[in-house]
Amino acid sequence: MSALAAAGLAGCPAGGGDDGGDGDGGSDGGTVEAGAPSEWPSVDDDYYSGLVSTLSEEMGLAPGRFLYADNEADALSAYTLSGDAAEQSELDVGDDVPFASALRVDVTAETENSWDVTFNGTVEDQGVVQGDVLLGVAYLRGPEESESTPTAQYVSKDEDNQSTNMVGSQPQVAPGPEWERYYFPIQFDYTSESGTWWTEMFMGFGVQTVDVGGVALLYFGDNVAVEDMPSGPASGGGGGTPTGDWEAAAEERIQEHRTADLTVDVTDGDGNAVEGADVTVAMQEHEFGFGTAIGADYLVNETEEGDPYRENVSDLFNTTVLGNHHKWRFWEENEEIADGATEWLLDRGMTMRGHVCLWAAVDSWAVPPDVVRAMGVEWEDNGVTDPELDPEYVRRRTMEHIPAIIDHYGEDIDEWEVANEVIHQPGFIKAINGVPATEDAALEDVDPVEAPVLGEWYDTAREAAPDGISLAMNDYNTLAGPYPATRNQYERQVEFLTDHSLDAVGMQCHFSESETLSPVEIVEGLDRYASHDVRLRVTEFDMADEGWAEEDKAEFFYQFLKTVFSHPAVDDFVVWGIWDPNHWQDDAPFFTEDWSEKPALDEYRSLVFDEWWTEESGSTDGDGAFATTGFKGEYEVTATVDGEEITETVELSEGGTTVELSPA
């Protein structure tokens, strides 16, 4: 099961479950004890009979048993729609689908949480024990008349563990306008008695319409390993599965957008063209940013010359970002460390991204204690035990800090994230608008995604930043996933901030295995943000999942990096750390604790320093010219005239470059 899928629901309450279904789960109405079924059930329901055939004969799964009911109509009636902002109606599905019973759920108003509208079915006649495997099945459709992108999330938990989700497939799905069968593999981490656990669908993702039919819940016990279960859409259109000749399409885009023509004109001392002069063209650095997050304290205080950390950072990357020490509290309390790490990286010719002017994550130690106090938040770990909400103080301190840190680094920092994770961490906006920055307090009249003060922060940053310094935003679940509801919010934020000097959109890409995307889905996500005339950055890439094999991670890494590099709006790809002990989830993409190399590093080197690296040589023609095509970046160009070598360093960029070489 995906750890992120479960953790992503932390704190979410159950969405109902008081009304159980009136189906008998294929039993005589009594409680069915947990235990692997010995054979597939014989059912009269045509849809369920076909489902048994698909799972047993086509997929080869060991026997399972239907819960809720042994027919689709009663199973659907076991679910109850909960939420003041939703209503349901019956659908006539016709003869073109294998099921007969379906409902339409209309969410009629915006809700604060996705679980404020939920389609819930408690399992009344069977308990589960730790390790039990189940499979949820449903047909979903997002009709074209839906007001926003239809989104649903399948969940399973019990009343004692309401912050969990035992479902291991993608946390959110966005069904299209045609009916599609979805599979939701489940494995319980704990034991639950009958009547205390349930499955449900969260639907509070905005005003929308979602159609549901063909529901089933099958119990397998320990007959089947959860990793052998089908997952996601039956068509295989999601979950990172490549479709079509994705690589040929990516390579065509790479040639179009990442390469340019380089011409070397060679003349003698009199200005005459030299035919047959030897020319070498040697790439020195990419124009595209390949980078990593740096542990500033580790770099400055705990490493020395020759340390593998320093050596690999220098060898592998041309751009960097400090993982923590440009964040507000870290910078104010440890400016010497931040400056030392920044200087070290700049001395080695790297560009730098500022992460971040404002991030309201108190528990991540990103906010100074005086500001936490004024946000109305108690923070015992850092001595804030007497919070007192002070909106004007929070406003003033944020408005002062933005120009202070930007001015401190001046032109040394090429880009600043002005605000980070506003969708998920709106604490500053809450406090400034008179609401304590706590989870149980909500803004009623101000949408954090388009809050006026958010625009003011960016306007303030633009006034402070030197000419040419880029201003960016950053958030998670904006490309990994897919998480349609978060993408909708992020796109609204992009649209809002383009009126306030926004230059670039950062997409954190923390992938678990269940959150991978196919190359087609990656391009679709990038296209969506790029349509607003902004530049794009992959800001925090990693692949952390205990059950995800390193070889499979490497395969996804290859697909993802090649697809991202091929997109014309993307300028940077940044891995969020390289080494397990210095990684926030102890699972960095490239190196284990003993500096053993992971398979993804081989893919990185092969692409960045081989496939996308230009080394050419040849002789000038009768016009004294040597022409080639290379990847955009910095080059050392050398020509030999009458035994004398002439070398010049040039930039190959959009539109191509011509360099003239001649003896002095």
Side-chain angles (χ1 to χ4, degrees):
M1 187 192 71
S2 164
L4 290 182
L9 296 177
C12 303
D18 294 330
D19 296 325
D22 56 5
D24 63 7
S27 71
D28 60 4
T31 298
V32 178
E33 295 299 326
S38 58
E39 60 184 17
W40 281 100
S42 176
V43 290
D44 296 329
D45 182 272
D46 289 342
Y47 171 63
Y48 272 23
S49 178
L51 184 57
V52 167
S53 177
T54 297
L55 297 176
S56 62
E57 297 175 15
E58 295 181 23
M59 297 185 181
L61 296 181
R65 176 170 60 240
F66 288 105
L67 303 184
Y68 291 128
D70 59 2
N71 64 89
E72 55 145 325
D74 286 343
L76 184 62
S77 69
Y79 284 84
T80 301
L81 182 65
S82 300
D84 295 336
E87 54 191 34
Q88 70 179 47
S89 55
E90 293 187 5
L91 282 178
D92 181 3
V93 298
D95 299 326
D96 295 332
V97 292
F99 56 94
S101 301
L103 295 173
R104 170 160 291 180
V105 176
D106 288 299
V107 182
T108 57
E110 295 284 346
T111 58
E112 183 177 352
N113 305 299
S114 60
W115 55 89
D116 289 341
V117 174
T118 183
F119 196 53
N120 179 288
T122 298
V123 180
E124 299 287 0
D125 57 5
Q126 176 154 334
V128 289
V129 299
Q130 183 176 3
D132 274 351
V133 173
L134 303 96
L135 181 67
V137 182
Y139 272 83
L140 299 174
R141 182 175 68 176
E144 293 180 353
E145 56 265 38
S146 179
E147 187 167 325
S148 62
T149 302
T151 306
Q153 181 171 358
Y154 195 90
V155 178
S156 187
K157 61 179 73 171
D158 75 0
E159 61 188 25
D160 293 328
N161 299 276
Q162 295 191 30
S163 65
T164 64
N165 183 15
M166 298 295 98
V167 178
S169 59
Q170 288 185 356
Q172 296 175 16
V173 297
E178 302 297 329
W179 286 107
E180 173 89 70
R181 177 184 280 174
Y182 287 83
Y183 296 108
F184 304 97
I186 304 166
Q187 184 170 36
F188 267 78
D189 288 345
Y190 43 79
T191 297
S192 304
E193 296 180 357
S194 59
T196 69
W197 67 280
W198 57 83
T199 64
E200 62 185 325
M201 294 185 197
F202 292 166
M203 295 188 179
F205 295 98
V207 178
Q208 63 170 357
T209 301
V210 181
D211 295 338
V212 184
V215 299
L217 179 64
L218 292 105
Y219 173 84
F220 292 86
D222 59 3
N223 270 352
V224 182
V226 70
E227 56 267 23
D228 293 333
M229 284 290 186
S231 179
S235 65
T241 304
T243 56
D245 194 353
W246 72 270
E247 192 160 18
E251 289 175 350
E252 183 176 341
R253 291 192 300 270
I254 288 170
Q255 286 302 310
E256 179 180 359
H257 302 296
R258 300 299 176 193
T259 66
D261 294 333
L262 176 60
T263 301
V264 184
D265 288 333
V266 182
T267 59
D268 61 20
D270 297 324
N272 300 312
V274 177
E275 182 179 2
D278 292 334
V279 176
T280 60
V281 172
M283 193 172 190
Q284 304 298 301
E285 192 54 78
H286 276 282
E287 176 185 85
F288 189 92
F290 295 101
T292 186
I294 298 294
D297 51 349
Y298 186 83
L299 181 66
V300 173
N301 293 333
E302 299 182 38
T303 66
E304 56 188 19
E305 292 300 325
D307 186 280
Y309 188 82
R310 291 180 176 226
E311 294 296 312
N312 282 295
V313 166
S314 299
D315 292 345
L316 294 173
F317 307 107
N318 61 9
T319 191
T320 55
V321 58
L322 300 188
N324 281 319
H325 278 78
H326 284 154
K327 294 171 183 173
W328 192 355
R329 186 195 70 85
F330 282 89
W331 182 67
E332 284 196 346
E333 297 181 8
N334 302 278
E335 185 179 313
E336 184 177 350
I337 293 176
D339 290 353
T342 300
E343 182 180 0
W344 190 93
L345 295 163
L346 293 174
D347 285 347
R348 282 149 185 82
M350 299 189 193
T351 61
M352 290 200 67
R353 190 167 192 265
H355 173 75
V356 55
C357 294
L358 298 176
W359 184 36
V362 171
D363 289 343
S364 296
W365 295 70
V367 187
D370 62 310
V371 181
V372 174
R373 182 173 291 105
M375 293 166 68
V377 177
E378 185 172 297
W379 188 23
E380 292 185 1
D381 289 344
N382 206 27
V384 181
T385 57
D386 55 344
E388 183 176 351
L389 183 64
D390 188 341
E392 185 53 38
Y393 186 85
V394 177
R395 170 185 283 276
R396 178 171 60 82
R397 284 280 274 134
T398 58
M399 292 298 182
E400 291 173 347
H401 174 64
I402 292 170
I405 193 167
I406 291 177
D407 182 68
H408 179 78
Y409 289 103
E411 295 181 352
D412 287 342
I413 302 293
D414 294 85
E415 178 170 278
W416 278 101
E417 294 168 14
V418 181
N420 185 49
E421 298 182 4
V422 171
I423 294 171
H424 300 94
Q425 296 284 354
F428 292 145
I429 296 173
K430 281 184 175 183
I432 289 171
N433 285 278
V435 175
T438 56
E439 290 185 2
D440 58 354
L443 282 169
E444 295 183 1
D445 301 323
V446 177
D447 179 1
V449 171
E450 300 181 63
V453 71
L454 177 61
E456 292 176 41
W457 289 334
Y458 277 78
D459 292 340
T460 299
R462 175 55 67 212
E463 292 177 7
D467 292 342
I469 301 301
S470 173
L471 301 182
M473 57 195 288
N474 193 47
D475 215 324
Y476 63 90
N477 291 352
T478 53
L479 188 59
Y483 294 87
T486 303
R487 289 190 186 186
N488 291 342
Q489 290 176 292
Y490 204 48
E491 187 172 21
R492 283 198 296 115
Q493 189 179 341
V494 172
E495 291 173 339
F496 173 72
L497 287 176
T498 52
D499 292 331
H500 297 276
S501 302
L502 179 72
D503 299 304
V505 173
M507 297 155 291
Q508 297 178 24
C509 288
H510 301 293
F511 284 100
S512 66
E513 187 172 14
S514 67
E515 294 168 307
T516 58
L517 305 173
S518 70
V520 171
E521 291 171 319
I522 296 165
V523 171
E524 288 174 348
L526 296 171
D527 283 346
R528 180 173 183 177
Y529 301 125
S531 68
H532 298 284
D533 195 27
V534 289
R535 304 304 299 170
L536 306 181
R537 289 88 169 87
V538 172
T539 55
E540 302 184 17
F541 180 91
D542 54 24
M543 303 171 292
D545 194 327
E546 185 176 350
W548 196 358
E550 293 296 337
E551 291 76 13
D552 294 337
K553 288 182 182 179
E555 181 179 356
F556 172 69
F557 180 89
Y558 177 87
Q559 293 172 11
F560 186 83
L561 181 54
K562 179 165 277 194
T563 303
V564 165
F565 185 67
S566 77
H567 197 283
V570 180
D571 296 325
D572 295 320
F573 171 83
V574 177
V575 295
W576 203 240
I578 60 171
W579 183 44
D580 283 353
N582 200 233
H583 185 265
W584 70 295
Q585 294 193 87
D586 304 317
D587 192 2
F590 290 164
F591 294 99
T592 65
E593 183 174 1
D594 64 359
W595 290 101
S596 296
E597 298 182 1
K598 298 184 180 183
L601 180 58
D602 289 337
E603 302 293 356
Y604 177 82
R605 286 195 178 114
S606 176
L607 289 172
V608 176
F609 299 113
D610 186 4
E611 188 172 328
W612 302 334
W613 196 263
T614 303
E615 301 273 357
E616 297 288 347
S617 62
S619 300
T620 55
D621 60 18
D623 295 323
F626 172 80
T628 188
T629 298
F631 287 93
K632 296 174 186 176
E634 182 182 288
Y635 282 80
E636 188 175 90
V637 181
T638 301
T640 303
V641 180
D642 295 332
E644 180 183 352
E645 285 192 352
I646 309 105
T647 299
E648 187 170 334
T649 300
V650 300
E651 290 289 333
L652 178 58
S653 56
E654 188 68 28
T657 299
T658 297
V659 57
E660 298 179 359
L661 297 181
S662 180

